[in-house]
Amino acid sequence: LPLTQKGISQAKVFGDYLASTNIHVNQFFCGPLIRHREHSKTIVSCIEFSFDNVIIDDRLQEIDYGSWEAKSDDEIKANGHERDLENWNKHAIWPPKGIWGETQEELDTRVKSFLDMLKTQKSDNTIVVITSGGVLRSFHTQLAQDDKTSTIQDTKVSTGHVSRIQLNEGRWKIDFWNTNPADL
């Protein structure tokens, strides 16, 4: 699905934030979905970065939600998955095998591969990554294994919100998570 008008506005707020703080973006990655690319295009139009240099990385593809794909929360609950949905939304607990088209292990493997690649980049690089909420939950779980000081429990990132992480001496640190860019 394409990015909504609200999504475009949210991306512009973040792009304007980056421009106003003079943060120099060295690298920019996004998932392959149309909305990932449109979100990225909107942000880079606000800063000195060309969309031609945005790296589209399949490891940032959204989760395959299988039988939940394109269904509202009410429809998922009506199909008998109220507890599974609550566990996913509140605790990032994967539904039982067979409900989704991808396993948690498959997602975690591709996210770990992406994070390991980021660790090979120059330590002073500022990197922007655009992906979807399900993927970000896996990011958080893996980042929190490094960042023992983080008190952030809710792994969810709302649509259009941002998170900031840093790599210090080979370990991830979560600076903030699920923040509205208008509040930065």
Side-chain angles (χ1 to χ4, degrees), residues 48-86:
E48 293 182 20
F49 200 93
S50 169
F51 184 74
D52 293 338
N53 294 325
V54 172
I55 300 166
I56 299 171
D57 194 310
D58 287 339
R59 292 173 291 189
L60 301 172
Q61 171 75 318
E62 179 57 302
I63 294 171
D64 178 351
Y65 288 104
S67 66
W68 290 10
E69 196 72 42
K71 291 201 170 56
S72 69
D73 286 358
D74 288 338
E75 291 171 309
I76 293 167
K77 290 174 187 176
N79 286 329
H81 295 285
E82 182 171 356
R83 185 163 182 87
D84 296 328
L85 181 63
E86 181 179 338

Side-chain angles (χ1 to χ4, degrees), residues 11 13 108 141:
V13 168
D108 289 344
T141 300

Side-chain angles (χ1 to χ4, degrees), residues 113-179:
S113 170
F114 184 79
L115 289 170
D116 287 348
M117 178 274 304
L118 289 182
K119 283 185 173 183
T120 68
Q121 306 304 304
K122 287 179 56 180
S123 61
D124 60 346
N125 276 1
T126 298
I127 301 170
V128 174
V129 177
I130 304 297
T131 188
S132 300
V135 175
L136 289 169
R137 288 172 189 240
S138 180
F139 267 69
H140 183 277
T141 300
Q142 294 187 46
L143 297 168
Q145 291 172 9
D146 262 9
D147 186 357
K148 303 297 184 198
T149 64
S150 176
T151 59
I152 301 166
Q153 297 296 314
D154 190 351
T155 61
K156 186 174 183 174
V157 176
S158 300
T159 302
H161 283 64
V162 298
S163 303
R164 184 174 68 196
I165 61 173
Q166 292 187 42
L167 183 63
N168 292 314
E169 297 180 9
R171 297 186 68 80
W172 296 110
K173 168 112 175 67
I174 302 170
D175 290 335
F176 55 82
W177 196 259
N178 191 29
T179 301

